[in-house]
Amino acid sequence: MFAFFLPISVAYRLGSAEPQRTSPPPPTHQSSSWSAPVTSASSRGEQGASSVERVKRGWVWNQFFVVEEYTGTEPLYVGKIHTDSDEGEGNIKYTISGEGAGTIFIIDELTGDIHATERLDREEKAFYTLRAQARDRLSNDPLEPESEFVIKVQDINDSEPKFLEGPYIGSVAELSPIGTSVLKITASDADDPSYGSSARVVYSVPDGEKFFTVGRHTGIIMTAVADLDRETQDRYELVVKATDMAGQMGGLSGSTTVTIVITDVNDNPPRFPQKMYQFMVSEGAAIGTPVGRVIATDADMGENTDMSYLIQEGGELFKVTTDAMTQEAVVSIKKPLDFESKRTHNVVVEAVNKHADPRFVDLGSFRDQTIVRVSVSDVDEPPLFQPADGTVMEVQEDTRVGALVGVVTARDPDAKNKPVRFSIEHSTDQDMIFHIDPDSGAIMLDKVLDRETAGWHNITVKAVEADNHTMASHSSVSIRILDVNDNPPELATPYEASICEDAKAGQIIHTISVVDKDEPQTGHHFYFTLAPEASGNRHFDLWDIKDTTAGVRTQRSGFNRHEQNVYFLPILVGDSGPPSLSSTGTLTIHICGCDTAGTIQSCNATAYVMSAALSPGALIALLVCMLILIVLVLLILTLKRHRKGQRMAEDEEDMRDNVIKYNDEGGGEQDTQAYDMSALRNLYDFPEAKSVAAAAAESVPDTGTLPQWLQASRLAGGPAEACSAADFSLFKGYIRKKVEQADADLSVPPYDSFQTYAFEGASSPALSLSSIHTLSTTSEQDFSYLSDWGPRFRQLAGYYAPGKPDEDGS
């Protein structure tokens, strides 16, 4: 079993110097040991039994102690390991391994003594963990299980306190009470705080420091006086010292610098550097012109210097404002200044702190005053009107030309009191209704006034100094035209009303109102009556409703619009004057037919005037209208007769020959819808043909449907070709005559036209059917086959086929 032996001095220190260490950590494995102090005679002689027992209580069997910072020249003995199997014959070999084995720590293989070869620092490494082993020297076999042990570096006071966060800066308000905390500082010591007093730090300030103190154990810096004044000293440099070993002799110490800034409080009032300031300003300076600037000083800083300015005296003509940037008081003009009235003004200006601190009210008033003396200088000023804001005058509209309207007044405000000249601005009186006396300012009337045209006249009067026309001023003069009763009242509009024929007596027909251009001061009052020419009226009467209106009522029941459907009622309107004026207006009343519900259905237009006789002008107008109507009727009749004669002449000459065109190939004599066959027959009823046909008319039977020239030919008994040629030549002559007449008259279109039949093709057995071509040649073509085509072509065949006495003409 391994045994671990410590040096006697270490054991003694463990037992006597550190009796508090009575409970070391248990060993990590079982080991045997024996007490070196018990087996040592010298030690046994020097120490009593109680001392030995105290040492035993401090031992840790698997732990060694080494004092740090050993400065000896020989290796420092740490301790000894030993096994029970070692009989001292040198057959056992001791070895160690682990942290620092072979470098920092070495062991004697024969004795098991361990030494430290280097200087150790607990602040770098506080302990080392190693393992011990006992082996047979010859076979190198382990004789004991490997055992772990610890070598702990024992602390000594080798580190001074340090202020790791320094230097420090703190602040405290001026005039703070004693004991006011400023800030807390902390010093740290690298020594072992659990061993001795090496790490126990206390704080202190140098002797002679009277403004601040520091807590010995807390490190809190506090004020030591109550009259710290920022305006006297605004910062302090303080040295604070920290000492370990609880301040005992031999302890190590460190120091730091603390800067303490004194912050401002509003403990100083504003003060004007001067008790009086003097400024000068011209009396012609405009309102708002700055006169001067003054400023009050304040020993404080920041917002504690903010102040406002007030005027305690002289605020009638001047005002004061505060310049936010410079904190200056700006004195400016509030009202116009007058050198002639007062040449010097004293203005009392007061400065007041904006942010007064109630804690320091006992220090005195936080305000100050100064006098600002303002001197007014004289300037040449333009004339002044009285009153300055203009004049209102009144004049009646019937005032005669040249009469006085009113007087304006102006004077030179300067001490010299120069003469003033007056004039009217032409732009304000372009019609030159008024003129003004240049010396006295009297305004007189130059033209007749009419209130109804213009009720007010606004003119501008100019006043200048007699010897300096640049000194001018203007004033407005408003002239009110007072009304006189010079306009008669009139009906508001040309009134018209409609009533039913069955209107009842007393029925209100219409309400009329009047207007008057005049405006009497006592108000309007009008009188309504019927005009004298309608005084005998039995149909309507007036009802005065007062104010400006009247009502028209029926005086009887029932009207007949067929006898008279319009009444003109003349109404006379008069005012109350003076003088009283009147005018006549007319109300037109229509009599209308109404249904049973009283709704108007129709009204006639015939008018009947209720006056006794028509005026000459109305009679002349009526006669002129009738004369114009008679002339128009005669002109219309003349034009109608002229047109009728022209139409009859045209009808006599309009004898036209027509070639009838059939648009289809059928129809025959039954086709009588499209053409009038009588026109075809009458076409050949000429005077020339009548003489030829009259001779044979008695012996030839009526052929009915044949043309007259063909019937005459057959009755004559001659050949058909000869008769046809002779009669056709007569027909051609007539046509030629008409054509020549039409060609000679260029004002009318041609009356005759020629029809052509288009060629129908080579397969037609009839070939061309042109009557003109057939009759103009001596062709003997037989057209009798046309009768075989049906009843529609028999008539056509009768025109072209040779005549036979025995045919019936069909």
Side-chain angles (χ1 to χ4, degrees):
M1 179 179 294
F2 275 117
F4 298 89
F5 300 93
L6 279 77
I8 296 176
S9 60
V10 175
Y12 177 78
R13 283 200 304 274
L14 290 173
S16 60
E18 293 186 341
Q20 70 275 17
R21 298 185 181 182
T22 57
S23 301
T28 57
H29 62 272
Q30 195 72 23
S31 62
S32 61
S33 63
W34 58 281
S35 174
V38 176
T39 58
S40 174
S42 60
S43 177
R44 194 170 47 243
E46 295 174 1
Q47 302 289 338
S50 61
S51 174
V52 173
E53 292 177 359
R54 290 173 61 193
V55 171
K56 287 182 178 180
R57 288 198 299 272
W59 287 358
V60 178
W61 303 117
N62 60 345
Q63 180 171 288
F64 295 101
F65 292 90
V66 178
V67 179
E68 66 170 338
E69 304 293 344
Y70 172 70
T71 58
T73 57
E74 297 295 330
L76 178 62
Y77 179 72
V78 178
K80 182 183 182 65
I81 59 174
H82 185 76
T83 179
D84 293 342
S85 60
D86 187 0
E87 296 179 355
E89 295 178 353
N91 296 328
I92 298 176
K93 177 183 177 181
Y94 294 98
T95 61
I96 59 173
S97 62
E99 295 178 339
T103 56
I104 300 176
F105 303 102
I106 58 175
I107 188 171
D108 189 336
E109 295 181 350
L110 295 176
T111 62
D113 294 332
I114 301 174
H115 292 80
T117 61
E118 295 181 6
R119 183 178 180 180
L120 302 180
D121 187 0
R122 189 202 66 82
E123 286 71 35
E124 293 183 2
K125 190 171 179 63
F127 61 90
Y128 298 86
T129 302
L130 297 93
R131 292 176 296 280
Q133 181 69 58
R135 296 178 178 274
D136 185 276
R137 184 176 294 276
L138 296 178
S139 63
N140 203 31
D141 294 332
L143 300 178
E144 294 284 353
E146 190 177 53
S147 178
E148 183 178 89
F149 65 98
V150 175
I151 298 177
K152 187 174 181 181
V153 182
Q154 188 174 5
D155 181 56
I156 63 173
N157 189 20
D158 60 342
S159 298
E160 71 277 6
K162 295 181 179 180
F163 294 93
L164 301 179
E165 298 178 359
Y168 297 88
I169 298 178
S171 63
V172 65
E174 62 176 332
L175 300 181
S176 295
I178 297 175
T180 302
S181 297
V182 180
L183 79 161
K184 180 179 181 180
I185 59 175
T186 302
S188 60
D189 196 320
D191 292 327
D192 188 0
S194 62
Y195 177 75
S197 300
S198 298
R200 294 178 61 189
V201 179
V202 294
Y203 302 93
S204 63
V205 295
D207 294 336
E209 177 58 51
K210 62 179 180 180
F211 297 105
F212 301 96
T213 61
V214 63
R216 180 176 175 82
H217 299 287
T218 61
I220 298 175
I221 299 175
M222 297 169 290
T223 58
V225 295
D227 57 351
L228 291 174
D229 187 9
R230 186 200 64 81
E231 288 74 31
T232 302
Q233 184 175 351
D234 61 352
R235 66 177 54 227
Y236 293 87
E237 300 289 340
L238 182 67
V239 176
V240 179
K241 181 180 180 181
T243 305
D244 60 8
M245 297 296 292
Q248 297 178 5
M249 186 67 69
L252 303 178
S253 63
S255 62
T256 186
T257 301
V258 179
T259 301
I260 300 177
V261 178
I262 308 302
T263 58
D264 184 62
V265 296
N266 193 9
D267 59 337
N268 293 281
R271 291 288 181 264
F272 284 103
Q274 300 175 217
K275 290 302 180 183
M276 178 178 290
Y277 297 85
Q278 292 188 355
F279 301 100
M280 180 171 287
V281 65
S282 171
E283 66 171 333
I287 295 176
T289 302
V291 175
R293 290 171 174 255
V294 297
I295 187 170
T297 59
D298 193 327
D300 296 321
M301 62 183 299
E303 67 174 10
N304 294 327
T305 62
D306 293 345
M307 63 187 73
S308 58
Y309 297 93
L310 306 172
I311 290 184
Q312 295 298 337
E313 296 180 13
E316 300 84 6
L317 300 178
F318 301 92
K319 66 178 180 179
V320 64
T321 56
T322 304
D323 190 328
M325 300 297 296
T326 62
Q327 290 295 308
E328 292 177 308
V330 182
V331 181
S332 57
I333 299 175
K334 183 178 179 181
K335 291 183 178 180
L337 304 178
D338 186 11
F339 172 82
E340 289 72 26
S341 300
K342 190 173 183 179
R343 302 183 180 184
T344 303
H345 301 270
N346 291 326
V347 181
V348 178
V349 179
E350 183 178 66
V352 181
N353 264 138
K354 286 185 178 180
H355 309 289
D357 195 331
R359 296 177 299 172
F360 309 112
V361 293
D362 56 343
L363 296 180
S365 175
F366 281 80
R367 59 182 62 209
D368 194 20
Q369 293 182 349
T370 187
I371 298 175
V372 177
R373 176 166 292 177
V374 182
S375 299
V376 182
S377 61
D378 186 29
V379 295
D380 191 6
E381 299 174 88
L384 293 178
F385 282 94
Q386 296 176 347
D389 55 353
T391 305
V392 178
M393 301 179 181
E394 293 182 347
V395 60
Q396 287 191 340
E397 62 176 322
D398 60 349
T399 302
R400 61 179 177 81
V401 175
L404 177 65
V405 177
V407 179
V408 294
T409 304
R411 65 175 183 84
D412 183 8
D414 298 322
K416 297 181 180 180
N417 194 18
K418 299 177 182 179
V420 177
R421 298 291 180 264
F422 300 94
S423 63
I424 296 177
E425 292 288 344
H426 177 69
S427 60
T428 61
D429 187 22
Q430 296 182 355
D431 296 332
M432 301 181 67
I433 301 175
F434 307 95
H435 79 274
I436 189 170
D437 186 277
D439 297 320
S440 64
I443 299 176
M444 289 168 287
L445 187 63
D446 270 1
K447 291 185 178 181
V448 177
L449 300 175
D450 184 13
R451 189 203 64 82
E452 286 71 35
T453 302
W456 285 84
H457 293 277
N458 298 312
I459 62 175
T460 300
V461 177
K462 179 181 179 181
V464 298
E465 292 184 1
D467 59 351
N468 186 4
H469 289 182
T470 60
M471 291 291 102
S473 58
H474 298 79
S475 178
S476 63
V477 178
S478 299
I479 302 175
R480 181 184 179 186
I481 311 304
L482 300 178
D483 182 55
V484 296
N485 193 28
D486 57 348
N487 291 279
E490 298 175 350
L491 293 183
T493 60
Y495 288 102
E496 291 190 8
S498 299
I499 62 173
C500 298
E501 291 181 293
D502 57 352
K504 305 298 183 182
Q507 178 179 337
I508 295 178
I509 299 173
H510 205 280
T511 301
I512 59 175
S513 61
V514 297
V515 293
D516 195 331
K517 296 179 181 178
D518 296 322
E519 291 182 359
Q521 296 181 357
T522 58
H524 285 292
H525 182 70
F526 301 104
Y527 304 94
F528 300 87
T529 59
L530 293 178
E533 59 267 27
S535 58
N537 163 55
R538 301 187 307 276
H539 309 292
F540 308 99
D541 67 344
L542 290 177
W543 173 40
D544 191 354
I545 309 179
K546 306 301 181 183
D547 294 333
T548 61
T549 59
V552 179
R553 299 180 297 189
T554 56
Q555 212 171 11
R556 66 181 181 84
S557 300
F559 293 87
N560 189 344
R561 64 190 176 100
H562 298 290
E563 295 179 358
Q564 182 176 348
N565 69 328
V566 177
Y567 292 89
F568 296 102
L569 186 64
I571 300 174
L572 180 66
V573 183
D575 58 19
S576 57
S580 179
L581 301 177
S582 62
S583 67
T584 301
T586 302
L587 171 64
T588 303
I589 303 173
H590 297 273
I591 308 301
C592 303
C594 304
D595 58 11
T596 57
T599 304
I600 294 176
Q601 299 296 321
S602 63
C603 301
N604 292 334
T606 305
Y608 176 81
V609 181
M610 291 186 60
S611 60
L614 292 176
S615 63
L619 290 174
I620 292 173
L622 183 60
L623 292 174
V624 170
C625 292
M626 294 176 64
L627 182 60
I628 292 173
L629 289 174
I630 293 171
V631 170
L632 289 176
V633 170
L634 293 175
L635 287 175
I636 292 172
L637 293 175
T638 303
L639 289 175
K640 285 186 176 181
R641 289 180 180 178
H642 180 66
R643 289 180 180 177
K644 184 176 181 182
Q646 288 182 348
R647 189 178 296 108
M648 291 175 64
E650 290 175 358
D651 292 342
E652 290 177 357
E653 295 180 1
D654 192 13
M655 180 65 71
R656 304 184 183 182
D657 300 322
N658 297 288
V659 178
I660 306 304
K661 174 183 176 182
Y662 287 91
N663 290 331
D664 53 8
E665 298 180 355
E669 58 186 2
Q670 286 79 16
D671 187 6
T672 60
Q673 298 297 325
Y675 297 96
D676 187 3
M677 299 305 293
S678 63
L680 186 60
R681 296 189 186 96
N682 295 334
L683 182 63
Y684 305 99
D685 190 11
F686 305 121
E688 297 84 350
K690 289 181 180 180
S691 61
V692 178
E698 297 179 359
S699 60
V700 181
D702 185 11
T703 56
T705 59
L706 293 179
Q708 293 180 7
W709 62 273
L710 186 55
Q711 295 175 15
S713 176
R714 290 187 176 182
L715 292 175
E721 293 83 354
C723 295
S724 175
D727 294 338
F728 189 69
S729 64
L730 180 62
F731 174 70
K732 290 170 61 178
Y734 178 79
I735 292 176
R736 186 180 303 109
K737 180 181 178 181
K738 292 298 183 182
V739 170
E740 290 174 357
Q741 291 178 357
D743 292 340
D745 189 0
L746 300 178
S747 62
V748 296
Y751 289 102
D752 46 312
S753 60
F754 294 90
Q755 300 296 124
T756 60
Y757 290 87
F759 183 65
E760 298 183 356
S763 60
S764 175
L767 298 179
S768 176
L769 297 180
S770 174
S771 60
I772 297 177
H773 177 72
T774 303
L775 296 179
S776 62
T777 64
T778 57
S779 175
E780 296 181 357
Q781 183 178 356
D782 186 10
F783 292 100
S784 60
Y785 64 88
L786 293 176
S787 300
D788 300 333
W789 288 4
R792 298 192 178 209
F793 290 92
R794 288 178 184 174
Q795 183 70 28
L796 185 59
Y799 293 152
Y800 295 96
K804 294 181 181 181
D806 55 349
E807 290 182 357
D808 56 0
S810 62

